[in-house]
Amino acid sequence: MQLFKKISSLWATLAICFIVVFTSINGVFGSHKIYLDLQSSSAVSVKNVHRTGFHFQPPKHWINAPMYYNGIYHLFYQYNPKGSVWGNIVWAHSVSKNLINWINLEPAIYPSKPFDKYGTWSGSATILPGNKPIILYTGIVDANKTQVQNYAVPANLSDPYLREWIKPDNNPLIVPDISINKTQFRDPTTAWMGQDGHWRILVGSLRKQRGLAILYKSRDFIRWVKAKHPLHSSPNTGNWECPDFFPVSLQSTNGLDASYYGENAKFVLKNSLDITRFEYYTIGTYDTKKDRYIPDNTFVDGWKGLRLDYGNFYASKSFYDPSKNRRIVWAWTNESDILPDDEIKKGWAGIQAIPRKVWLDPSGKQLVQWPVEELQTLRKQNVQLSNKRLNKGEMVEIKGITPAQADVEVTFSFANLDKAEQFNPKWADLYAQDACAIKGSTIQGGLGPFGLVTLASKNLEEYTPVFFRVFKAQRNYKVLMCSDARRSTLKHSEAMYKPSFAGYVDVDLVDKKLSLRSLIDNSVVESFGAGGKTCITSRVYPTLAIHDNAHLFAFNNGTETIKIETLNAWSMGTSNIT
């Protein structure tokens, strides 16, 4: 089957992953556990108390990542059409012209062949020469969860929505050899074209707790050969899920096609670590002759490395959007009230985070992310503050908008750094969220804590603060950003996951300012610090601070007076998903 002889351009899309979430001390853990007695328990009714208004989620049931084709954005995602817990998983399919309003279509891929009889798991899409999309996905072939890599193609390219997909009988394309753990072998990436004219993809795996990005090559996209060595690997990181590999420009915020090989670019390798249930990335160089990725020596390759998001954010995938010359990253945000019974009672489980434009910071030391510009079309009522001083212990309520569904942008400033607390050297060996848990938002500091109090009840029985604390380290200042869900709800449940998510912000404080943007959407608070250098997503379930009973405040619990330079807050409309 000669699908692809003429090589032109390609663009990337899609990634989909799948987890049922449990909790641990350091993160959100998961498994691909099937609840045989619950997986087909359809929602009798759907509770809307904590449903999001402008984050993507299907009308009901369990959800777990995107393609731009002929003017249409395609979102494929892992979905249980029969219930709100893991099981019966298919590739659901929705389309949009603006990344905000969506039309739900029938599933694109579902188990139906010997090579995917036991599951159609995650994968990616590529646009091949002749403007032909192709999906690569992981199929489960037996009850032992043996994993292979399959492909599917549209049945009708003239259909603008690409409703129907065909799985040819020459599947599977890739099967695990004896050196590969056949049950930890999944999530093929978007393909890219090498300078030698061969296609390349990565598949995530592990060997003796060494995470692997296994490299495969093909001339025709049908016959794939495993390279002699992985593109990259790292010891003691466990199984790598949802690997993502893409170039970023050194000169602008514009995105680059996956096959770009110009001089002014670096490469990003992102992995979702099965052990921690967080996502980590490095930036480095791609040696195209040796097919090796080498992280820059300033990056930590593993658990203490940089994350795309320091909160409830997993299974992300980026894609190149040629219509606006940008790279967009999109991820899945699971529920934090994680008992299966809770999800059945709600009638739904899981949302997608807001799609984010992603680019390389001018320093070259990290990525920057920002909500796609289309989100601004949902902004409604607006309130503003400027030059508002917040003394120690002071709070100001932001009125005139709908605090349960809002977009808030604020810039804080301070007169000097003299009152910054001393950074405890012991914290250097802890995760940032441990430091946040120790200090919190109510313990008085010097320069901070200051920020926003979101989804708050009137008397602060419930609230989710998003805030900064500034510390003086040995040679510089360290900025800690927190999104602390520990007091987010009065609901008592041993299975309720209420962490103090946090990350450090690599920012120059020469202008003595810090900016924060928070997207508040009923049960999610998605925050961007310092213009998107540090991002944290929290899932929360207030019992009092819901709908019209939610409140929003700006606060300062430090001894140094903080000034709100500017604050813009908008009520947010509801996206249309039909």
Side-chain angles (χ1 to χ4, degrees), residues 34-56:
I34 297 177
Y35 296 90
L36 293 176
D37 55 335
L38 300 175
Q39 65 177 345
S40 297
S41 298
S42 182
V44 176
S45 63
V46 176
K47 293 185 177 180
N48 293 317
V49 172
H50 295 123
R51 281 186 67 84
T52 56
F54 56 89
H55 285 72
F56 178 87

Side-chain angles (χ1 to χ4, degrees), residues 181-201:
N181 183 333
K182 65 181 181 180
T183 66
Q184 307 286 343
F185 178 62
R186 53 181 174 265
D187 312 339
T189 65
T190 297
W192 72 94
M193 175 62 66
Q195 293 175 304
D196 57 1
H198 292 191
W199 293 100
R200 288 159 171 79
I201 61 168

Side-chain angles (χ1 to χ4, degrees), residues 281 283 296 298-299 306 360-367 506:
Y281 73 90
I283 300 169
D296 291 348
T298 55
F299 287 88
L306 292 178
L360 182 66
D361 185 75
S363 68
K365 296 190 294 183
Q366 67 176 102
L367 296 176
D506 188 354

Side-chain angles (χ1 to χ4, degrees), residues 233-517:
S233 67
S234 184
N236 303 315
T237 53
N239 187 42
W240 284 4
E241 293 190 306
C242 299
D244 197 10
F245 186 62
F246 57 89
V248 286
S249 173
L250 288 168
Q251 296 181 319
S252 75
T253 65
N254 290 339
L256 297 175
D257 180 275
S259 295
Y260 180 84
Y261 291 105
E263 294 181 356
N264 296 305
K266 301 287 280 188
F267 281 80
V268 176
L269 179 61
K270 186 278 306 182
N271 292 293
S272 304
L273 293 194
D274 199 14
I275 293 178
T276 65
R277 287 293 164 179
F278 291 127
E279 301 208 306
Y280 303 81
Y281 73 90
T282 57
I283 300 169
T285 302
Y286 176 29
D287 185 331
T288 58
K289 293 183 179 179
K290 296 181 179 179
D291 266 323
R292 290 279 195 176
Y293 167 75
I294 305 98
D296 291 348
N297 58 16
T298 55
F299 287 88
V300 176
D301 198 357
W303 292 9
K304 290 196 174 182
L306 292 178
R307 301 184 200 169
L308 286 179
D309 190 293
Y310 289 83
N312 201 327
F313 187 95
Y314 197 73
S316 73
K317 177 63 180 177
S318 72
F319 70 101
Y320 176 60
D321 177 5
S323 70
K324 293 193 174 181
N325 197 17
R326 60 186 174 178
R327 180 162 288 274
I328 293 174
V329 64
W330 214 344
W332 180 65
T333 297
N334 60 284
E335 302 301 311
S336 292
D337 57 341
I338 57 173
L339 288 178
D341 285 347
D342 291 335
E343 295 174 352
I344 291 173
K345 289 176 183 177
K346 284 188 304 185
W348 52 273
I351 65 170
Q352 296 292 135
I354 292 297
R356 306 169 179 180
K357 179 180 176 181
V358 60
W359 66 93
L360 182 66
D361 185 75
S363 68
K365 296 190 294 183
Q366 67 176 102
L367 296 176
V368 179
Q369 300 164 80
W370 199 247
V372 292
E373 61 187 40
E374 289 88 341
L375 187 66
Q376 297 177 25
T377 63
L378 294 178
R379 288 173 170 174
K380 294 187 173 182
Q381 296 92 342
N382 171 243
V383 296
Q384 299 180 9
L385 281 177
S386 61
N387 296 317
K388 173 66 177 178
R389 292 168 62 88
L390 292 176
N391 297 315
K392 180 180 67 173
E394 190 172 357
M395 299 179 70
V396 58
E397 185 167 5
I398 312 303
K399 298 181 178 181
I401 60 166
T402 56
Q405 197 165 306
D407 185 355
V408 188
E409 294 191 48
V410 57
T411 298
F412 299 99
S413 67
F414 33 91
N416 58 68
L417 295 161
D418 296 343
K419 295 183 180 179
E421 301 168 79
Q422 196 68 33
F423 184 74
N424 189 332
K426 294 181 180 179
W427 295 350
D429 295 325
L430 299 175
Y431 291 101
Q433 71 181 60
D434 297 320
C436 179
I438 293 169
K439 302 299 288 185
S441 64
T442 59
I443 298 177
Q444 180 180 296
L447 187 47
F450 60 87
L452 299 174
V453 174
T454 73
L455 294 176
S457 58
K458 183 178 181 180
N459 297 316
L460 297 181
E461 300 95 337
E462 296 177 332
Y463 60 91
T464 301
V466 184
F467 59 95
F468 299 109
R469 297 185 82 116
V470 181
F471 299 95
K472 186 175 183 179
Q474 186 173 2
R475 297 181 180 178
N476 55 12
Y477 293 91
K478 292 184 76 71
V479 177
L480 179 68
M481 176 179 164
C482 301
S483 181
D484 192 347
R486 288 177 296 174
R487 296 194 63 177
S488 61
T489 181
L490 294 178
K491 181 179 180 181
H492 295 289
S493 171
E494 293 182 0
M496 183 70 70
Y497 185 47
K498 299 187 293 183
S500 52
F501 286 134
Y504 291 108
V505 188
D506 188 354
V507 60
D508 188 349
L509 295 177
V510 65
D511 62 354
K512 301 180 181 63
K513 293 182 180 180
L514 280 168
S515 68
L516 175 65
R517 182 179 182 185

Side-chain angles (χ1 to χ4, degrees), residues 105-306:
L105 305 176
E106 54 272 26
I109 303 175
Y110 47 86
S112 63
K113 297 288 185 81
F115 47 78
D116 63 14
K117 180 180 179 180
Y118 288 82
T120 52
W121 286 8
S122 52
S124 307
T126 301
I127 307 300
L128 295 169
N131 198 29
K132 296 178 180 179
I134 186 170
I135 285 174
L136 294 175
Y137 71 97
T138 297
I140 313 302
V141 301
D142 57 35
N144 295 322
K145 295 185 180 179
T146 299
Q147 295 162 21
V148 299
Q149 312 313 319
N150 301 320
Y151 79 106
V153 294
N156 182 9
L157 285 174
S158 64
D159 175 9
Y161 290 167
L162 302 178
R163 292 177 176 87
E164 184 181 354
W165 291 75
I166 296 170
K167 299 179 292 186
D169 289 335
N170 61 338
N171 275 303
L173 296 183
I174 302 173
V175 298
D177 62 30
I178 59 173
S179 69
I180 294 173
N181 183 333
K182 65 181 181 180
T183 66
Q184 307 286 343
F185 178 62
R186 53 181 174 265
D187 312 339
T189 65
T190 297
W192 72 94
M193 175 62 66
Q195 293 175 304
D196 57 1
H198 292 191
W199 293 100
R200 288 159 171 79
I201 61 168
L202 303 178
V203 180
S205 189
L206 86 163
R207 183 185 301 123
K208 296 181 179 179
Q209 293 307 306
R210 173 179 284 272
L212 304 175
I214 303 175
L215 179 68
Y216 288 86
K217 302 179 185 180
S218 176
R219 287 180 177 271
D220 59 5
F221 222 89
I222 297 298
R223 293 173 290 273
W224 292 89
V225 177
K226 189 178 77 167
K228 292 182 180 179
H229 51 73
L231 181 80
H232 188 58
S233 67
S234 184
N236 303 315
T237 53
N239 187 42
W240 284 4
E241 293 190 306
C242 299
D244 197 10
F245 186 62
F246 57 89
V248 286
S249 173
L250 288 168
Q251 296 181 319
S252 75
T253 65
N254 290 339
L256 297 175
D257 180 275
S259 295
Y260 180 84
Y261 291 105
E263 294 181 356
N264 296 305
K266 301 287 280 188
F267 281 80
V268 176
L269 179 61
K270 186 278 306 182
N271 292 293
S272 304
L273 293 194
D274 199 14
I275 293 178
T276 65
R277 287 293 164 179
F278 291 127
E279 301 208 306
Y280 303 81
Y281 73 90
T282 57
I283 300 169
T285 302
Y286 176 29
D287 185 331
T288 58
K289 293 183 179 179
K290 296 181 179 179
D291 266 323
R292 290 279 195 176
Y293 167 75
I294 305 98
D296 291 348
N297 58 16
T298 55
F299 287 88
V300 176
D301 198 357
W303 292 9
K304 290 196 174 182
L306 292 178

Side-chain angles (χ1 to χ4, degrees), residues 68 71-73 95-103 161 374:
Y68 182 83
I72 301 292
Y73 293 99
V95 293
S96 172
K97 292 185 178 181
N98 59 8
L99 290 171
I100 302 298
N101 299 310
W102 293 87
I103 300 172
Y161 290 167
E374 289 88 341

